[in-house]
Amino acid sequence: MSEETTAGIVEAVQDHGPITFAEFMEHALYGPGGFYESPPIGSGGHFVTSPHVHPVFADLVRFALLEAWDALERPEPFRVVELGAGDGTLARALLIGFEAGKVPVEYAAVEISPGARERLDELGVTVLETPGEVEPLDPGVVVANELLDNLPFRRVRRREEGLVEVRVGVEDDRLVEVEAPCDDDLAALAPPLEQDEEATVPVKALELVDALGTMLRRGCALFVDYGSTDGAAGAVHGYREHAVLADVLDDPGSADVTAGVDLGAISRRAEEVGLVSLGTVRQWRALRALGYERWAASERERQASMLAEGRGLDAVRSWESRSRASLLVDPAALGRLRWLLLATPELPRPRWLEIVLQAEAADRAEPTDPVETPDLGDGAPETVEGAEVVEVVDEAETVEPVEG
């Protein structure tokens, strides 16, 4: 347990009574001794995200960003802002790809963790602590991978007498849940609930959308996260050493605290601040539309060539690499993540997103016969070549940026 973190929480409760769950998260994740004081992500950390699993994730995200660059008439430099940039794995891979494609980029990484900012400084990008420090994008794009689910949220629960807020108090030197009356502002943001049902209200994520409405004057924002569009965002849980924890009040500061995000609420707030929600789709479909299958086919061909040349060990490594990458498009694994694209009103829906939405509409029409999401054709990557060491789940993997 981080004594510094626990002391801060106890002091806050003693000062003004049971604190909101959002305030608890501020201490446990971002306060002194908190979980994000040093980067917790990666194979040697507490959990991994898509960019750590395989570099092809960043390559395909780059294709999505390049389509936005085209829609914005190819500004030079192309301003890219990554929110919650973490240890820089995604930023590093994107920058390599942009450089290989000779796309002039001005990259800004926003990260609250002091330890992570030190790593980001090594990339030679602009490193900022808060979104409020970002100069307005006119034009530009924003990307955020698994950020929204870690922004502080409040918790509400439906009881027989009405809606209550779940707060955090202290009892016999332990942190405990405390139910308190729910104020009108919070109740207005809560989704409909059945008796004893609970929900999270993404108050800080909504504040981020408000800031995005000011920051994004012309361009788009791509959010990749866990969540839903119907208010059923998921249970509150934690992560420690790659294991899921149910009791998030135990050992504050030693584990991540998260819950799936109500992306429907995020989209509605975006509309209120003048942005447009272009769609929310599953990651497995998005990556396939951006060229995953074509990349996987090229890797299979490369593996076959290695076997024909008697390079058995290299062929096994190629198979292992492709096996890791398949987690990105597995609907039961990272493929269940959702991509939400927000934009300023004048931007059209990108081609990759149109393809996915058409496939999902076909699925709804024929639910017993799912439609395979097609590639983008000539706009998709042909091969993956080159050399760049990128951290993955098990070991360093040599992979080149996708050229498109």
Side-chain angles (χ1 to χ4, degrees):
M1 176 185 293
S2 167
E3 294 183 2
E4 191 174 15
T5 301
T6 303
I9 294 170
V10 171
E11 183 179 349
V13 172
Q14 291 174 341
D15 179 68
H16 46 273
I19 59 177
T20 68
F21 200 80
E23 186 175 351
F24 163 76
M25 290 179 68
E26 292 280 6
H27 287 280
L29 298 183
Y30 306 111
F35 185 69
Y36 280 97
E37 194 166 57
S38 297
I41 304 173
S43 56
H46 293 271
F47 57 90
V48 295
T49 64
S50 296
H52 299 88
V53 169
H54 200 284
V56 74
F57 174 81
D59 291 328
L60 299 177
V61 167
R62 178 166 54 87
F63 274 102
L65 299 183
L66 285 174
E67 190 168 347
W69 184 52
D70 277 335
L72 293 168
E73 300 177 341
R74 300 194 170 202
E76 295 188 10
F78 180 32
R79 292 188 61 200
V80 179
V81 174
E82 183 183 355
L83 302 178
D87 64 358
T89 297
L90 178 59
R92 183 181 299 107
L94 288 174
L95 288 168
I96 291 167
F98 283 130
E99 182 178 3
K102 296 181 172 52
V103 177
V105 169
E106 181 182 300
Y107 203 100
V110 180
E111 174 56 51
I112 195 171
S113 164
R117 289 201 301 274
E118 290 179 7
R119 295 192 190 181
L120 290 165
D121 277 330
E122 299 171 2
L123 299 180
V125 301
T126 300
V127 181
L128 306 171
E129 185 174 353
T130 67
E133 299 173 58
V134 178
E135 291 292 326
L137 296 172
D138 188 11
V141 298
V142 174
V143 62
N145 180 62
E146 294 195 39
L147 168 67
L148 299 179
D149 65 331
N150 280 130
L151 295 180
F153 49 79
R154 293 169 74 174
R155 295 169 62 188
V156 294
R157 189 177 290 155
R158 174 67 63 182
R159 293 302 193 193
E160 186 175 352
E161 64 275 16
L163 202 63
V164 298
E165 180 174 11
V166 181
R167 294 186 171 225
V168 176
V170 179
E171 182 180 288
D172 298 329
D173 297 325
R174 293 184 303 110
L175 299 181
V176 296
E177 291 183 1
V178 177
E179 293 186 355
C182 184
D183 63 65
D184 292 341
D185 290 342
L186 181 61
L189 296 172
L193 298 173
E194 300 294 333
Q195 179 75 23
D196 297 327
E197 192 177 9
E198 182 181 312
T200 59
V201 179
V203 288
K204 289 298 181 180
L206 294 174
E207 289 180 12
L208 176 62
V209 176
D210 291 342
L212 191 63
T214 300
M215 179 199 312
L216 197 59
R217 295 183 179 173
R218 189 162 62 98
C220 64
L222 174 62
F223 290 96
V224 180
D225 232 305
Y226 292 101
S228 71
T229 57
D230 58 5
V236 177
H237 58 283
Y239 282 101
R240 183 189 298 132
E241 296 178 354
H242 300 274
V244 178
L245 306 175
D247 185 2
V248 295
L249 299 185
D250 180 48
D251 255 359
S254 69
D256 192 20
V257 181
T258 182
V261 183
D262 182 355
L263 295 174
I266 300 298
S267 295
R268 291 190 294 275
R269 179 60 70 91
E271 300 279 353
E272 292 173 5
V273 300
L275 300 175
V276 176
S277 176
L278 297 181
T280 305
V281 297
R282 296 286 186 180
Q283 171 161 295
W284 71 270
R285 285 205 187 272
L287 294 182
R288 285 174 182 260
L290 286 162
Y292 175 86
E293 292 300 335
R294 182 168 296 193
W295 170 81
S298 73
E299 288 296 288
R300 286 191 292 269
E301 291 175 4
R302 191 161 70 98
Q303 180 185 347
S305 296
M306 291 173 180
L307 287 171
E309 296 166 4
R311 298 163 55 198
L313 182 57
D314 288 339
V316 169
R317 287 174 175 167
S318 175
W319 177 85
E320 290 175 343
S321 168
R322 199 172 72 252
S323 179
R324 279 195 298 272
S326 70
L327 295 173
L328 299 170
V329 294
D330 183 347
L334 290 167
R336 74 183 190 275
L337 282 157
R338 290 181 180 267
W339 288 29
L340 168 64
L341 188 64
L342 307 175
T344 49
E346 75 283 355
L347 284 190
R349 181 175 283 145
R351 189 159 56 117
W352 66 265
L353 184 54
E354 286 282 9
I355 288 173
V356 177
L357 293 174
Q358 289 172 15
E360 293 191 343
D363 275 359
R364 288 191 294 272
E366 297 288 344
T368 59
D369 186 20
V371 174
E372 185 77 1
T373 304
D375 283 328
L376 281 176
D378 294 339
E382 293 290 343
T383 59
V384 179
E385 305 170 359
E388 170 58 18
V389 177
V390 181
E391 182 186 8
V392 295
V393 175
D394 298 315
E395 60 185 6
E397 179 73 23
T398 301
V399 178
E400 288 190 8
V402 177
E403 292 304 323

